[in-house]
Amino acid sequence: MDHLTDLNNMYLFAKVVEHGGFTAAATALGLQTSKLSRRVGALEAELGVRLLNRNSRSVSLTDTGRVFYQ
C-alpha cells in the first residue's frame, strides 16, 4: 500500500497560512505552537519541499508553498 499523506497536516498548513503564522493558528486551533510547527515540518519533509519561510518574527509562503496552498 502506498503511503498516504496525513490530510490533517495539510489542514494545519492551510490554517497557518490563513492565520498568518504559527502562534495565531495554534491559538485558534487550541494546539501548542510547537506541535503545530512539527506537523507542518512533517508535511514538508514528506513532500520534500519547503512550504514556508520561517524566522523569529514572521512566516511567509515560498513559491512552492503558494502553489500548494492554492
Side-chain angles (χ1 to χ4, degrees):
M1 177 179 221
D2 291 337
H3 180 73
L4 177 64
T5 299
D6 186 338
L7 296 178
N8 290 316
N9 289 348
M10 291 179 176
Y11 172 79
L12 294 174
F13 163 73
K15 290 302 175 186
V16 170
V17 173
E18 291 164 10
H19 288 280
F22 285 96
T23 303
T27 300
L29 295 166
L31 296 173
Q32 293 178 344
T33 304
S34 59
K35 181 175 183 174
L36 182 56
S37 179
R38 281 193 304 273
R39 298 288 297 270
V40 173
L43 176 63
E44 290 176 320
E46 182 178 344
L47 296 174
V49 295
R50 172 74 72 195
L51 299 172
L52 297 168
N53 293 313
R54 303 161 174 84
N55 67 41
S56 60
R57 293 186 181 190
S58 67
V59 173
S60 62
L61 284 166
T62 63
D63 290 338
T64 303
R66 189 171 291 105
V67 171
F68 187 77
Y69 177 73
Q70 291 174 346

